[in-house]
Amino acid sequence: MSNSIAENIANFLKEYPPFNYLSHDELIQVATSIGVVNLDKHKTLFQIDDKLHDSFYVVASGVINLSVIADAEETLLNKCYAGDVFGLRPFFAKNNYMMTAKAREDSIVYAIPINVFKPFVAQNSQVLDFLLESFATNTRNPFDKENRGKLITDNVYTENQTTEIQYFQSLAYNKTPIKIAVTTVIKDAAQLMTENLIDSAIVTDQNQPIGIVTDTDFRSKIANGRFPITNTVEKIMSSPVITVPENVSVAEAQLLLLKHNVSHLCVTADGSDKSDVKGIISEHDLIVAQANNPGVLIKEIKRALSPKELKQVREKLTDLIQASIAKNIPLPHIYNISGEIITAIVKRSVELAILDLGSPPARFAWLSIGSQGRKEQLLLTDQDSILVFEDVSVEKYRDVKDYFLKLAKRATAILEKVGYEFCPNGHMASNMLWCKSLTDWIKQYNSWMKTPGEKSNDISSIFFDYEIAFGEGKIEDAITDVIFNNSKNNVLFFDYLGNDTLRKNPPLNFFKKFNLEEDGEHKGKFDIKNRAIMPLVDGARLFAISLNLRGINNTYLRFKQLAMIDPKYSEIYLNCADAFLILSKFRTLEGLKNDTSGDFINIDELSKADREKLKNALGPMKELEELIKDKFRLTQFS
């Protein structure tokens, strides 16, 4: 390629990450090796199941559509414009493409050889970080908020593009690797590997790794006659070994293989070559791991034909949550992934009920409420839901409602078998009170909001946190419109809701000691749900409705958004957001440890540091309480 063409390509690339992290000379080196591909409109560059190319691609001009097959339909995943990078799968996997790349219009793309670009990935931490974050999050360019030069990967997790899963995705690997001494004869090592059907052996000294022998070494160093098989493995082993700790993530492992251009990683006790060998990770292990992610779980859910199969997926989700907590992944990311999978489980439960009963006689919406509606349910707690069906004629109403009650009873029974207990308060779609027509639901919300307190035993604030799991989105929108229309200048309703928020027993007593349960099954324990977490949940909901914050149900996200739309009190909202995450993590750890709802914590089992951390997280609650008293006239229901 002539210098002038290479110069032009280099000048183009430097405007977009990750190329803007390279020097001019490095860009010229890349540009000189680039292949220019002209694509006519609708021409395919690669498609699903094609063998991987030896290049990845940058759009020079035009538009490239990336699509996947979901439920037997081709779904457009993204559009790539000038500067966008795509087709990165050859960097990270050996199996075929999982996307189709097709020109939306006449386009030109640059093909950058993987072997040319690999050294820049290994040598430049910013390029490595770009690829790592982009690969793990599967999003547009994470460094470019204006979407210029977005990087599209070829790993499809779910239709909704779950985030950062591979940072904490579990990685199964061989925990009983073959270990041999440096004096082992090559022939004996080869025979041992053949007998055990394994492609590697770790050379150790006092159980610490000093080298590794793989099938590749036999092909490149023995088969061609470089060394006789009577030599010791010291002659052909690769040394030093690239080592990783036991909790290494899929993304981290993939990038280390890429960075060091190796096919295996040695797992050791502390991640260094100075500690005991614990296992071996191969490229094959990483390919298998890519099939064990939320996207696959979603597919398993869609194929499930029984509660037993759904329960198996839910158990995998618990493992995923536990692994993410162990790696200190931010809780909002875990909520996002968990929420999508749980919603899919609920949806499939409704679908199985429909398969059993036959087609619904009217359109409807199944709404998860409470913690499921807020996408905050990490532990196996009880289920909460309502069912809203479209208005029908008077003569059809009874039959239609009977159908939906039967449907709801079947669906909730399936969810109970999955592990979600029936709501002790009966807040489920299978309860005839919470399964009714849109008009009846509008009357219900009107009653709750216009005359609060008159039938206070019927109202629960969880009915104001909901997420559609199945059915007509327009029905959910109609409920939302009713709530926010009724909230305008509704002093009485916010008086009721504000007092209800402040009615919880305080978490700390006058002497700043934890208020513990005085009797019952949980005597001596701290009720972290009702004394600490729920006041924050209730407060976030109260301000969200009063400030017309639609479409955001998650408590953490509500507080973050409130800080933006009500900047005068942003510090309080942000403190509450942080406190909510800390308290939720305490509850989740408790629940995972004891296989419970995590609602009650034994304070005595916490370290001194954790007790102080927990106590400090309760501080913002007082600020929130004072803000509620200041913002709302809490008189009639005080």
Side-chain angles (χ1 to χ4, degrees):
M1 181 178 294
S2 70
N3 288 339
S4 60
I5 296 175
E7 193 78 34
N8 289 337
I9 293 175
N11 288 336
F12 171 84
L13 292 177
K14 72 179 182 182
E15 297 297 321
Y16 305 99
F19 309 105
N20 60 342
Y21 298 129
L22 304 183
S23 68
H24 180 72
D25 289 344
E26 290 171 331
L27 282 173
I28 290 294
Q29 186 179 337
V30 171
T32 304
S33 66
I34 275 177
V36 180
V37 182
N38 289 282
L39 294 174
D40 295 334
K41 185 177 181 180
H42 301 317
K43 182 71 179 294
T44 297
L45 180 62
F46 57 78
Q47 59 187 5
I48 296 168
D49 286 333
D50 277 358
K51 289 185 177 179
L52 299 180
H53 298 179
D54 58 7
S55 300
F56 69 99
Y57 300 97
V58 184
V59 180
S61 65
V63 182
I64 303 295
N65 281 354
L66 299 180
S67 60
V68 295
I69 302 295
D71 296 336
E73 293 183 5
E74 189 172 15
T75 302
L76 180 65
L77 188 66
N78 221 318
K79 297 177 184 177
C80 300
Y81 300 93
D84 293 347
V85 182
F86 67 98
L88 279 163
R89 190 161 191 77
F91 262 119
F92 305 107
K94 302 300 182 187
N95 48 335
N96 297 344
Y97 284 110
M98 296 175 66
M99 284 183 181
T100 293
K102 184 187 296 184
R104 179 183 175 88
E105 57 189 54
D106 290 349
S107 305
I108 298 174
V109 298
Y110 294 145
I112 303 179
I114 299 288
N115 62 349
V116 171
F117 200 70
K118 264 189 177 183
F120 301 116
V121 176
Q123 297 162 13
N124 192 311
S125 62
Q126 290 175 304
V127 175
L128 184 64
D129 290 344
F130 176 88
L131 291 177
L132 176 59
E133 184 164 354
S134 299
F135 183 74
T137 61
N138 196 24
T139 62
R140 290 183 170 185
N141 173 2
F143 295 95
D144 186 356
K145 297 179 181 178
E146 297 177 357
N147 290 332
R148 287 178 66 245
K150 56 186 181 294
L151 189 153
I152 310 298
T153 80
D154 293 310
N155 286 287
V156 184
Y157 303 137
T158 72
E159 296 91 329
N160 296 319
Q161 297 301 281
T162 54
T163 57
E164 298 194 8
I165 180 60
Q166 291 207 341
Y167 274 127
F168 59 88
Q169 182 182 328
S170 299
L171 177 57
Y173 54 85
N174 182 6
K175 297 184 179 179
T176 56
I178 294 174
K179 290 182 277 189
I180 57 177
V182 72
T183 55
T184 303
V185 175
I186 293 173
K187 179 182 177 180
D188 295 337
Q191 186 173 348
L192 192 60
M193 289 163 60
T194 302
E195 289 172 352
N196 287 274
L197 300 176
I198 192 169
D199 65 352
S200 63
I202 301 175
V203 183
T204 60
D205 180 15
Q206 297 183 340
N207 204 33
Q208 294 178 2
I210 59 173
I212 186 170
V213 178
T214 70
D215 281 350
T216 302
D217 294 315
F218 291 122
R219 290 195 302 271
S220 63
K221 300 172 184 176
I222 303 298
N224 62 8
R226 285 178 60 192
F227 298 98
I229 59 174
T230 53
N231 270 349
T232 61
V233 293
E234 184 179 16
K235 295 291 185 181
I236 65 169
M237 71 179 186
S238 299
S239 181
V241 185
I242 306 304
T243 55
V244 294
E246 293 178 88
N247 64 345
V248 66
S249 71
V250 173
E252 291 164 337
Q254 284 174 316
L255 264 297
L256 284 170
L257 290 180
L258 174 68
K259 180 177 181 179
H260 296 285
N261 196 26
V262 295
S263 59
H264 294 75
L265 301 171
C266 180
V267 182
T268 62
D270 66 3
S272 76
D273 60 3
K274 304 300 181 187
S275 61
D276 288 350
V277 171
K278 295 294 183 179
I280 188 79
I281 297 172
S282 68
E283 287 180 313
H284 175 72
D285 295 327
L286 293 174
I287 293 170
V288 171
Q290 289 187 63
N292 186 25
N293 58 50
V296 174
L297 296 186
I298 296 285
K299 289 177 183 176
E300 287 183 19
I301 292 167
K302 288 181 176 180
R303 292 194 299 262
L305 295 174
S306 68
K308 181 180 179 181
E309 292 175 60
L310 290 176
K311 184 176 183 179
Q312 289 171 346
V313 177
R314 185 57 182 84
E315 288 169 351
K316 291 180 183 179
L317 174 59
T318 298
D319 293 339
L320 203 58
I321 291 169
Q322 197 149 14
S324 69
I325 294 287
K327 289 186 70 65
N328 291 315
I329 301 304
L331 218 53
H333 298 318
I334 308 172
Y335 278 140
N336 182 40
I337 293 167
S338 175
E340 291 300 322
I341 293 175
I342 293 172
T343 298
I345 290 173
V346 174
K347 180 181 180 182
R348 188 56 181 163
S349 299
V350 177
E351 288 173 344
L352 292 177
I354 291 174
L355 288 173
D356 190 24
L357 276 179
S359 298
R363 289 176 293 183
F364 73 103
W366 182 288
L367 304 181
S368 295
I369 61 174
S371 60
Q372 279 185 358
R374 296 189 301 272
K375 291 189 174 178
E376 294 170 359
Q377 191 180 60
L378 299 182
L379 301 166
L380 267 173
T381 55
D382 61 313
Q383 51 178 298
D384 299 289
S385 58
I386 65 174
L387 191 149
V388 189
F389 56 87
E390 66 179 347
D391 293 326
V392 296
S393 60
V394 175
E395 57 270 20
K396 291 183 179 179
Y397 185 90
R398 181 177 291 248
D399 289 341
V400 170
K401 180 162 183 172
D402 283 347
Y403 170 90
F404 283 117
L405 277 172
K406 290 177 184 176
L407 174 72
K409 285 177 181 177
R410 277 173 167 77
T412 54
I414 290 171
L415 288 168
E416 194 269 339
K417 290 177 182 176
V418 172
Y420 297 101
E421 296 179 358
F422 292 127
C423 174
N425 298 314
H427 294 147
M428 297 185 297
S430 54
N431 183 334
M432 64 182 301
L433 289 173
W434 315 129
C435 174
K436 48 196 175 188
S437 70
L438 178 58
T439 292
D440 286 344
W441 270 111
I442 289 173
K443 290 177 181 177
Q444 180 71 77
Y445 277 97
N446 283 338
S447 172
W448 280 337
M449 298 185 73
K450 292 179 179 179
T451 57
E454 292 186 11
K455 293 183 179 179
S456 59
N457 59 314
D458 285 345
I459 186 172
S460 174
S461 53
I462 67 170
F463 288 97
F464 295 88
D465 297 332
Y466 50 82
E467 173 82 11
I468 188 167
F470 185 95
E472 292 288 323
K474 290 181 180 179
I475 293 177
E476 180 191 29
D477 293 341
I479 297 293
T480 301
D481 289 341
V482 171
I483 291 174
F484 283 97
N485 287 337
N486 277 330
S487 68
K488 294 173 183 175
N489 302 315
N490 193 337
V491 175
L492 194 63
F493 173 67
F494 289 117
D495 185 354
Y496 180 88
L497 211 60
N499 276 287
D500 187 58
T501 300
L502 300 181
R503 199 167 283 125
K504 305 286 191 298
N505 292 323
L508 302 175
N509 60 26
F510 178 78
F511 300 102
K512 303 298 180 185
K513 301 288 186 181
F514 290 101
N515 271 326
L516 307 179
E517 298 301 291
E518 296 181 356
D519 49 39
E521 167 185 9
H522 302 290
K523 183 178 180 180
K525 293 184 177 180
F526 178 63
D527 185 351
I528 192 169
K529 176 186 176 182
N530 289 306
R531 291 184 186 268
I533 294 175
M534 290 313 298
L536 293 172
V537 171
D538 293 341
R541 181 194 307 110
L542 171 65
F543 282 103
I545 296 175
S546 69
L547 292 173
N548 199 38
L549 182 56
R550 295 180 180 230
I552 300 178
N553 297 330
N554 181 270
T555 301
Y556 172 78
L557 294 180
R558 275 175 167 170
F559 278 126
K560 296 288 281 188
Q561 194 66 26
L562 287 168
M564 295 174 64
I565 64 176
D566 192 16
K568 182 179 178 182
Y569 303 103
S570 61
E571 187 175 352
I572 294 176
Y573 295 133
L574 292 175
N575 288 341
C576 287
D578 291 340
F580 175 76
L581 294 183
I582 293 169
L583 295 169
S584 296
K585 188 169 183 179
F586 269 106
R587 183 190 179 191
T588 303
L589 288 171
E590 179 71 21
L592 292 173
K593 182 177 71 173
N594 298 307
D595 194 22
T596 65
S597 64
D599 293 349
F600 295 91
I601 289 183
N602 189 334
I603 298 296
D604 293 335
E605 292 181 356
L606 298 180
S607 66
K608 183 178 179 181
D610 280 344
R611 283 198 298 272
E612 285 304 307
K613 187 176 182 181
L614 177 57
K615 190 174 291 186
N616 290 337
L618 301 173
M621 292 173 57
K622 190 65 178 176
E623 297 177 316
L624 184 65
E625 179 182 335
E626 294 303 318
L627 185 58
I628 291 171
K629 291 176 180 178
D630 182 58
K631 283 260 190 177
F632 303 99
R633 283 181 277 169
L634 307 181
T635 53
Q636 182 166 331
F637 299 101
S638 298

